[in-house]
Amino acid sequence: EATLEWSDAGVEGSFRFLKRLWAYAQGAKDTVAAADGAFDPRDADGTIRSARRELHLTLKQANFDYERIQYNTVVSAGYKMLNTLEALPRDARDARGAAALAREGLSILLRVLYPVVPHTAWSLWAELGFAARHGDLLDAAWPDVDPGALEQD
């Protein structure tokens, strides 16, 4: 709807984000592979449950933005999701449920970003082992917002 002037700074910012995403995914590869079973909030501490709530609130907003065809805010949701995931403890021993949430969060993030950056999302999906578990990213179901994750005490 609006016209924008081209800016090299925008391209540089996008490149930095994709580098951060790639670096996080590579660093979390072992954690994602080791996480078994679905995320269970009973097995998670409060910090992890709070991070999961943030991920699902952001997913809810991204879904709304996709419906409105507001792709810039969808990418912003990707930034927020990555920030939330980067704040998780790297070692599953540091917080109960961190590994399962890292796997769930990366799965959600890659599916949300797939229409925007398909090559990067597809490569990471396959490299992290999601393709072996869930099939090709193109055929993967869109992530659902878990209403239970949105509940607060």
Side-chain angles (χ1 to χ4, degrees):
E1 296 172 359
T3 59
L4 299 171
E5 287 191 35
W6 176 260
S7 167
D8 288 340
V11 175
E12 291 168 5
S14 298
F15 177 67
R16 280 193 309 273
F17 170 68
L18 291 176
K19 275 180 46 175
R20 273 183 53 215
L21 173 62
W22 194 271
Y24 176 79
Q26 295 304 312
K29 193 183 302 187
D30 292 339
T31 301
V32 168
D36 50 332
F39 181 85
D40 186 350
R42 295 170 297 186
D43 292 337
D45 67 17
T47 304
I48 300 303
R49 284 193 306 270
S50 176
R52 186 167 189 256
R53 181 176 190 278
E54 181 64 31
L55 283 171
H56 281 268
L57 280 172
T58 307
L59 172 60
K60 184 177 180 180
Q61 182 63 46
N63 287 343
F64 178 72
D65 293 337
Y66 266 123
E67 290 173 9
R68 294 181 321 144
I69 310 173
Q70 297 291 317
Y71 300 122
N72 59 329
T73 52
V74 169
V75 173
S76 174
Y79 277 77
K80 289 178 185 176
M81 287 181 184
L82 183 58
N83 289 340
T84 301
L85 290 171
E86 286 177 331
L88 292 175
R90 284 289 194 171
D91 190 343
R93 293 170 293 177
D94 291 343
R96 293 187 335 266
L101 184 58
R103 185 186 63 220
E104 178 187 32
L106 263 171
S107 170
I108 291 170
L109 177 57
L110 293 175
R111 287 180 281 172
V112 166
L113 290 178
Y114 183 58
V116 182
V117 287
H119 298 91
T120 302
W122 186 89
S123 293
L124 289 174
W125 181 265
E127 195 167 324
L128 293 170
F130 291 121
R133 290 185 196 151
H134 308 292
D136 191 50
L137 183 54
L138 181 62
D139 300 323
W142 191 256
D144 290 324
V145 176
D146 180 1
L150 302 180
E151 294 175 1
Q152 290 183 302
D153 292 337

